[in-house]
Amino acid sequence: GQQLNQSPQSMFIQEGEDVSMNCTSSSIFNTWLWYKQDPGEGPVLLIALYKAGELTSNGRLTAQFGITRKDSFLNISASIPSDVGIYFCAQGGGADGLTFGKGTHLIIQP
Amino acid sequence: GAVVSQHPSRVICKSGTSVKIECRSLDFQATTMFWYRQFPKQSLMLMATSNEGSKATYEQGVEKDKFLINHASLTLSTLTVTSAHPEDSSFYICSAPDFLGQETQYFGPGTRLLVL
């Protein structure tokens, strides 16, 4: 089945630093989704990408859909304490539900 | 964005009992909803697809007789964990697709199940 490889698994950064994480897929899909999950809550959609090469921003977040359609990255600029959480890439949709990456745990050091 | 709710938010039950979890789309209709399970420090894994007016479809390895799904209306899907065991303890999350298409999913807040 489809596999999503997400890296890094965790990041320890200082407040104010920029963050970058990425996902690669073994298959080609038409959508890349990025979610954030806070402890004890459901994932919240951050950015949805629908076209190869697409670059989309949402505030301090920027994500791109790779031109090969097998990869995507998410950048967070000037991190703040509330950015702490788990970030997931996901693919799929339609009638098949979503496949999630293993997540990137973002930890901001004081 | 679309709002999806779940009830209860957390439940503790004894081994052998059954637990029902509700998932509601609050401001839109969803002919399809999805149920995921998430173990601690792991990712979300799709369990099943709930279809309004027809049987649910289950992912490989998910027992349909243990995890009963009923999509009673266009805004409600229920997941019943039957004869729960401690290994069923997990975070259960439902989602519904964007009413403009199905590529994006909106998730409920999750239900924490602890089976003693």
Side-chain angles (χ1 to χ4, degrees), chain A residues 4 23 32-33 65 76 79 82 89 109:
Chain A
L4 296 183
C23 273
W32 275 104
L33 306 172
F65 194 144
I76 305 172
S79 60
S82 61
C89 61
Q109 295 175 324

Side-chain angles (χ1 to χ4, degrees), chain A residues 46-67:
Chain A
L46 299 175
I47 294 179
L49 302 164
Y50 299 106
K51 192 166 55 175
E54 179 181 356
L55 182 70
T56 298
S57 293
N58 178 8
R60 293 178 295 105
L61 278 62
T62 302
Q64 185 160 28
F65 194 144
I67 58 174

Side-chain angles (χ1 to χ4, degrees), chain A residues 75-99:
Chain A
N75 287 343
I76 305 172
S77 63
S79 60
I80 60 177
S82 61
D83 291 334
V84 166
I86 306 175
Y87 293 80
F88 292 101
C89 61
Q91 281 191 326
D96 298 329
L98 295 179
T99 298

Side-chain angles (χ1 to χ4, degrees), chain B:
Chain B
V3 179
V4 176
S5 71
Q6 280 183 244
H7 177 80
S9 59
R10 59 177 61 219
V11 56
I12 301 174
C13 69
K14 293 182 178 179
S15 185
T17 60
S18 294
V19 174
K20 180 186 285 187
I21 303 170
E22 294 184 348
C23 177
R24 294 181 185 273
S25 57
L26 296 184
D27 52 0
F28 65 104
Q29 294 181 334
T31 57
T32 303
M33 292 184 177
F34 301 94
W35 286 96
Y36 296 81
R37 179 168 52 184
Q38 184 179 31
F39 292 108
K41 300 188 184 301
Q42 295 189 21
S43 188
L44 286 78
M45 296 298 294
L46 180 65
M47 297 176 65
T49 302
S50 175
N51 303 299
E52 191 271 337
S54 64
K55 292 182 180 180
T57 55
Y58 292 80
E59 296 301 299
Q60 190 174 9
V62 178
E63 300 175 55
K64 63 179 181 180
D65 294 330
K66 180 166 185 63
F67 298 99
L68 300 179
I69 291 173
N70 182 29
H71 202 132
S73 74
L74 289 173
T75 59
L76 173 63
S77 174
T78 59
L79 169 69
T80 301
V81 183
T82 63
S83 186
H85 290 121
E87 57 264 32
D88 297 325
S89 299
S90 187
F91 195 48
Y92 292 87
I93 312 173
C94 69
S95 74
D98 185 341
F99 44 81
L100 296 178
Q102 292 195 332
E103 281 78 18
T104 56
Q105 302 274 336
Y106 293 97
F107 286 82
T111 297
R112 177 75 60 190
L113 171 63
L114 176 61
V115 184
L116 301 177

